[in-house]
Structures are given as C-alpha cells and as structure tokens.
Amino acid sequence: MTPSRTPALTFIFITLLIDVIGLGVIIPIMPDLIMELAGLDPKASESMGYASKMGAWLLFAYAFIQFLLAPVIGALSDRYGRRPVLLGSLIGFTIDYLFLSFAPTIAWLFVGRIVAGIMGASFTTGGAYIADISAPEERAKNFGLIGAAFGLGFIIGPVLGGFLGSAGLRVPFMFSAGLTFVNFLFGFFILPESLKPQNRRAFDWKRANPIGTLISLKRYPLIFGLMGSLTFLYIASHAVQSNWTFYTKEKFGWDLKEVGISLAVVGIAFAIIQGALIRVIIPKLGQRRSVNVGMTLYFISFILYAFATQGWMMYSIIVVYCLGSIAMTGLQGIMSGIVPPNEQGELQGGFTSLMSITAIIGPLLMSYVFSYFISPEAPVYFPGSAMMLGAVLTLISFVFIRLTLKKRMV
C-alpha cells in the first residue's frame, strides 16, 4: 500500500539526508589522503595536480560502473518496488566506506568506489519514490526535498569531515560507514514501500541498459531533447563538484576545516533554497521561467568563481550558484509530469545514467584543465580555468534548453 504523503516524504528526506552526510564527511580529506598514499609533499602544486587527477579517476571508476548499472537499478525498482533497491544501495555504500577506511594503497580506493558504483542508487530511487507519492502539481516542489537533503547534509557532513579529518584521515570514512549502516537500519524498520503493485511493470533487459534507457526516452521528444541539453550543464557542474577542494586549497591555501566550512555554507544555501524558497519560487515564476532564471544564475556564478581573488568572495558567490538550482528543480518537474507512474523509475534511471556519463567525462576534463593551468607548462597561471570552462558549457546548455522548450512546448 502506498504510504500517506507527509510521513513518507519525511522518511525519504531523512534517508537521503543521512546518505549525504556520509558523502559530505569524506570530501574535504580526499586530496590529503591521496597525497599521503602516494607519498607526495602536500604543499607542492605538482602534488595538488596529481591528487586532482587521481581524484578524477576515482570519480570516473564510480561513474562508469553506475552508468552501466543505474538503468538496471531503475528498472528493478519499477518491477520490485523502491524499498528493496534503496536498502541495497545503502549496504553498498557501507561496504565502500569500509574499504576506504582501511585502504593501504590507492588501488584499494578504486575497489571501494567500484563497489559503491555497483550499488549506488539512493538518489535515483529516492527521486522515483517522491514521484510515486506526489500529485502531479506537487512534484516540482517535492523534488526540492532532494535538494534540501543534499543541502542540509552538506551543512553537517563537510564540517564533520574537516574536524574528524584533523583527528586522522581515516576517521571520516569510519564515521561514514557507521552512519550509512544506521541509515540502512532506519530504512529497514521505518521506510514503507511507495510503488503500488498495479503500477509495477515487467523487467525488460532492452530497457534496462544505459543506452536503451536513454533511447527509450525518445518516445518523449521533450524529455529526450532536455536530456541532451543537460549533458553540457552536468559536465559544467564538475568544475565545482569535482574541483572545489583542489581549487580552494591551491588558490586560497584553505585547510581541511576551511574547506569543510565552505561546503557547509553551500549546504545551508541549498537547504534554504530547496527546502523553503523553492516552494515559493516555482509557483511564483512557473517551471519554465524558473529554468531561465536558474540557468542565468549558474552562468554568472561560474564567471565569478573563476575570477575571485579573495577567499571571502567564494562565500557570496555560493548564494548565486545555489539559487541557480531552481533550474534543475523546474526541469525535473517538467519531465516527471510527462511520464506515467510505472515509468518514473526508468526516468530517474535515465537521469542517473546521464549524470554518470557526464561524471565519466566531467571530473577528468575539469581536473586536467585545472592541473594544466597550475603547472609550469601552462602559458599563464589560472586556477580558475575549470570554472571558466564551466561557464562556457552552461551557456551552451542554456541555449539548447531554450530551443527545446520553445519547439516542444506551447
């Protein structure tokens, strides 16, 4: 039986929140851990460049495996329900964090990331769960809870990571393993199933593969066009997501605690915008205007990040960047309103597949651009080069989104 909406939204919000805290805890310490395992001097720019590239390859390992398996996970959730898939993903992340806690070499970090990629489906399934229990007119606002969980998790997680990392680089991973397992127990005993039996569909291997999932969305031309447009934005986002710790440590000399605090500010901004303001902004502007305003703010924020000269400037730019997230909420609301209930898992799997494709490309592209422009071989020292590339890709994405919406929607 589908759970009542308010308690179910609370359950899924808490589940995603604990998941993000676990992820946020480890972000500030990854560069130092990589440099420690490689035996490098953490104060040298060459060491930061190496750590940036290796961090990108770790993201690549996770993203590539998830790209292959996310559609299978989405299809399984459409067949068997959201709850068992979500619980399986939490066990996978627990195993990943345990590998990271005791990894003696960088190779073992890759093993952990691969395990997480196999099982990592919490946000994919969480999005489908919210779609299951939301009325069509409420979906865009309720999808904002995903952003709110992300934001609040990043208030708590990175700050904890910065302080726990001061006690030992492996401590944050151990904490994340325990927290994620607690999340699993919470879901096992509390989280109800959301997908009604009559809304389930048979598992189909033709649709349960990364290419097949995206191709199957061609029967919805608007969704297919927007997915293509979002490719550029998702790649651009890695100028921030995959590059933040390396960029701020290199340009402003931030330590673990400062990086953790900055990410907490990102979390506060996301939590306020996605948890509260989005419920005012989306109805006030409408989904299409929210997309236009959000994409403009994304573009401006990338430019400002690239040319920031003082660390304090990053905090003010964070507000502009996080306000840009109304674009994604608006787009998600538009697309989820098109597909029927028994295909919401497939749609969310398509989102995850696209994000995984771009997570294969984005971190490597941004880290190599960043590493090159802080190296002696670069014609000019420009740590903000990846941010500038993000601005260009965001502008391209915005143009294609506008053209798709104009052509496909009246």
Side-chain angles (χ1 to χ4, degrees), residues 215-297:
I215 290 177
S216 71
L217 293 174
K218 287 183 69 176
R219 64 188 184 280
Y220 303 111
L222 174 61
I223 292 177
F224 192 71
L226 290 176
M227 286 283 194
S229 304
L230 284 173
T231 300
F232 296 97
L233 180 62
Y234 284 157
I235 293 174
S237 70
H238 283 281
V240 175
Q241 294 176 13
S242 305
N243 198 45
W244 182 270
T245 303
F246 303 100
Y247 177 57
T248 54
K249 287 172 74 71
E250 172 67 22
K251 189 166 186 177
F252 307 115
W254 287 1
D255 60 17
L256 291 178
K257 292 181 181 178
E258 287 171 312
V259 172
I261 290 170
S262 71
L263 291 172
V265 172
V266 173
I268 291 170
F270 264 118
I272 293 172
I273 292 165
Q274 294 289 331
L277 294 183
I278 203 76
R279 295 176 175 268
V280 177
I281 294 172
I282 295 290
K284 189 81 172 178
L285 296 180
Q287 292 177 344
R288 290 187 65 173
R289 288 181 64 190
S290 296
V291 171
N292 292 336
V293 172
M295 292 298 294
T296 301
L297 293 174

Side-chain angles (χ1 to χ4, degrees), residues 58 61 67 86 100 154 172 178 209 265 296 373 392 402 407:
L58 285 167
F67 165 68
L86 186 58
L100 298 177
F154 263 69
N209 66 81
V265 172
T296 301
F373 279 97
V392 173
R402 289 291 301 272
K407 181 178 180 182

Side-chain angles (χ1 to χ4, degrees), residues 120-395:
S122 57
F123 274 81
T124 299
T125 313
Y129 193 107
I130 290 173
D132 290 340
I133 64 174
S134 301
E137 65 274 10
E138 296 290 321
R139 279 183 183 150
K141 292 191 293 183
N142 288 340
F143 277 132
L145 289 175
I146 297 177
F150 180 88
L152 188 57
F154 263 69
I155 296 171
I156 303 169
V159 173
L160 275 174
F163 283 92
L164 291 173
S166 300
L169 292 179
R170 306 305 181 103
V171 175
F173 297 110
M174 298 176 187
F175 176 85
S176 295
L179 189 64
T180 306
F181 187 69
V182 169
N183 194 6
F184 165 79
L185 294 176
F186 170 81
F188 185 82
F189 290 108
I190 302 296
L191 191 68
E193 180 54 65
S194 64
L195 187 63
K196 296 179 180 179
Q198 62 267 33
N199 287 334
R200 302 185 185 189
R201 66 177 177 88
F203 184 86
D204 182 358
W205 277 109
K206 292 181 179 179
R207 295 167 64 175
N209 66 81
I211 304 302
T213 296
L214 294 174
I215 290 177
S216 71
L217 293 174
K218 287 183 69 176
R219 64 188 184 280
Y220 303 111
L222 174 61
I223 292 177
F224 192 71
L226 290 176
M227 286 283 194
S229 304
L230 284 173
T231 300
F232 296 97
L233 180 62
Y234 284 157
I235 293 174
S237 70
H238 283 281
V240 175
Q241 294 176 13
S242 305
N243 198 45
W244 182 270
T245 303
F246 303 100
Y247 177 57
T248 54
K249 287 172 74 71
E250 172 67 22
K251 189 166 186 177
F252 307 115
W254 287 1
D255 60 17
L256 291 178
K257 292 181 181 178
E258 287 171 312
V259 172
I261 290 170
S262 71
L263 291 172
V265 172
V266 173
I268 291 170
F270 264 118
I272 293 172
I273 292 165
Q274 294 289 331
L277 294 183
I278 203 76
R279 295 176 175 268
V280 177
I281 294 172
I282 295 290
K284 189 81 172 178
L285 296 180
Q287 292 177 344
R288 290 187 65 173
R289 288 181 64 190
S290 296
V291 171
N292 292 336
V293 172
M295 292 298 294
T296 301
L297 293 174
Y298 270 144
F299 174 74
I300 292 171
S301 62
F302 277 119
I303 297 291
L304 295 175
Y305 278 141
F307 292 101
T309 56
Q310 301 292 327
W312 64 265
M313 296 179 180
M314 301 295 282
Y315 290 94
S316 58
I317 301 168
I318 283 169
V319 177
V320 181
Y321 180 77
C322 291
L323 277 170
S325 66
I326 65 174
M328 284 305 306
T329 305
L331 285 169
Q332 200 167 13
I334 290 171
M335 288 189 275
S336 68
I338 295 173
V339 302
N342 66 348
E343 295 183 16
Q344 290 293 333
E346 183 177 33
L347 174 62
Q348 299 303 322
F351 271 120
T352 304
S353 289
L354 181 62
M355 292 177 69
S356 297
I357 293 172
T358 56
I360 292 169
I361 302 168
L364 290 174
L365 175 63
M366 296 304 176
S367 68
Y368 274 81
V369 168
F370 168 74
S371 299
Y372 175 72
F373 279 97
I374 66 171
S375 70
E377 291 78 20
V380 59
Y381 178 77
F382 185 31
S385 55
M387 300 293 188
M388 197 65 201
L389 178 57
V392 173
L393 293 172
T394 299
L395 182 60

Side-chain angles (χ1 to χ4, degrees), residues 9-30:
L9 286 172
T10 302
F11 293 150
I12 202 68
F13 173 78
I14 294 174
T15 298
L16 295 178
L17 171 63
I18 296 175
D19 205 15
V20 177
I21 291 174
L23 290 170
V25 160
I26 69 174
I27 291 176
I29 53 89
M30 280 303 290

